[in-house]
Amino acid sequence: ETGVTQTPRHLVMGMTNKKSLKCEQHLGHNAMYWYKQSAKKPLELMFVYSLEERVENNSVPSRFSPECPNSSHLFLHLHTLQPEDSALYLCASSQDGGQGIDSEAFFGQGTRLTVV
Amino acid sequence: QKEVEQNSGPLSVPEGAIASLNCTYSDRGSQSFFWYRQYSGKSPELIMSIYSNGDKEDGRFTAQLNKASQYVSLLIRDSQPSDSATYLCAVNTGGFKTIFGAGTRLFVKA
């Protein structure tokens, strides 16, 4: 069991649905991330929050909406997704030393999302 | 041009051999370099981090960094079947941007 917990582990949703992915970290870190991992593609950074402020938005479509209410929790709200959005969505956390990311990221187990 | 490049493999080595995984990156200003291991259906887990030129050893793993050549590698000594996984190279290019390679699949034959 890692210090970063994601729920749900699996999600099937229709293109008109609205759902949310949840991430919680128990490591005392102050930076949290959403990554997308598609088959045979590199991990793609989607969003970064440092000290609960969004510091990176990697040209992600607006149908993905992140929320970081505190340094331990991160959400990814999903609406009107497309089948090509089907992927493994990974949450990660790290300790930001104030100069961006030098420290290692710890990943949650991921949410396997299928859009039908 | 890809920012972090890895040979996708699979790299197949016999048990007990040294597995050598390589990675090149394009941003010359990169300062932080990481190797992650990802088993099928699981999330990536950190194996090594390296920040300065040279070698860094941790148990059976050695990371090597050559910033002049923009090259980072991971050596796994005495490879075990349990080492069979995809190995991801990750490079921090500044700020919060860590770029991952597509990974190299390693298969250790018993």
Side-chain angles (χ1 to χ4, degrees):
Chain A
E1 190 66 35
T2 68
V4 181
T5 305
Q6 288 186 244
T7 55
R9 296 290 303 275
H10 301 273
L11 177 63
V12 179
M13 60 185 289
M15 289 189 283
T16 59
N17 291 159
K18 290 184 180 180
K19 296 286 185 183
S20 296
L21 310 184
K22 179 182 176 182
C23 177
E24 183 174 1
Q25 60 98 359
H26 314 277
L27 301 169
H29 290 163
N30 58 11
M32 297 186 77
Y33 312 76
W34 282 115
Y35 282 90
K36 176 183 178 182
Q37 188 173 38
S38 304
K40 299 185 180 178
K41 285 187 177 181
L43 275 166
E44 300 172 55
L45 179 64
M46 299 176 73
F47 300 105
V48 181
Y49 278 81
S50 174
L51 301 173
E52 301 151 41
E53 287 191 25
R54 191 190 308 179
V55 295
E56 188 82 31
N57 178 349
N58 215 25
S59 302
V60 179
S62 59
R63 57 185 183 270
F64 295 91
S65 175
E67 178 189 0
C68 187
N70 55 61
S71 60
S72 299
H73 294 86
L74 185 65
F75 296 90
L76 187 63
H77 303 300
L78 316 171
H79 66 96
T80 59
L81 294 191
Q82 304 299 311
E84 59 265 29
D85 296 322
S86 298
L88 180 67
Y89 288 84
L90 290 161
C91 173
S93 72
S94 70
Q95 184 60 31
D96 170 24
Q99 297 179 14
I101 290 308
D102 288 327
S103 65
E104 304 87 351
F106 293 84
F107 286 85
Q109 292 301 307
T111 295
R112 175 69 61 185
L113 173 67
T114 303
V115 181
V116 297
Chain B
Q1 181 184 358
K2 293 181 183 177
E3 296 184 68
V4 178
E5 286 209 49
Q6 296 182 254
N7 189 322
S8 62
L11 172 66
S12 184
V13 300
E15 184 175 0
I18 296 175
S20 178
L21 304 161
N22 304 314
C23 173
T24 58
Y25 59 94
S26 60
D27 189 332
R28 189 170 286 278
S30 301
Q31 295 296 321
S32 308
F33 307 87
F34 310 95
W35 282 100
Y36 288 83
R37 177 177 62 200
Q38 186 173 24
Y39 292 113
S40 180
K42 302 293 186 181
S43 60
E45 58 178 322
L46 182 73
I47 298 176
M48 296 281 289
S49 58
I50 187 166
Y51 304 102
S52 55
N53 280 328
D55 295 0
K56 179 181 177 182
E57 188 175 318
D58 184 0
R60 295 187 296 113
F61 299 97
T62 298
Q64 299 174 317
L65 175 61
N66 184 325
K67 289 185 179 180
S69 300
Q70 295 175 242
Y71 176 92
V72 58
S73 65
L74 179 70
L75 301 178
I76 306 175
R77 289 181 300 280
D78 188 25
S79 295
Q80 302 297 309
S82 58
D83 295 325
S84 298
T86 297
Y87 289 80
L88 306 175
C89 173
V91 176
N92 180 258
T93 58
F96 291 89
K97 183 160 272 190
T98 296
I99 307 298
F100 283 78
T104 298
R105 285 182 296 139
L106 172 66
F107 178 61
V108 180
K109 297 175 291 185

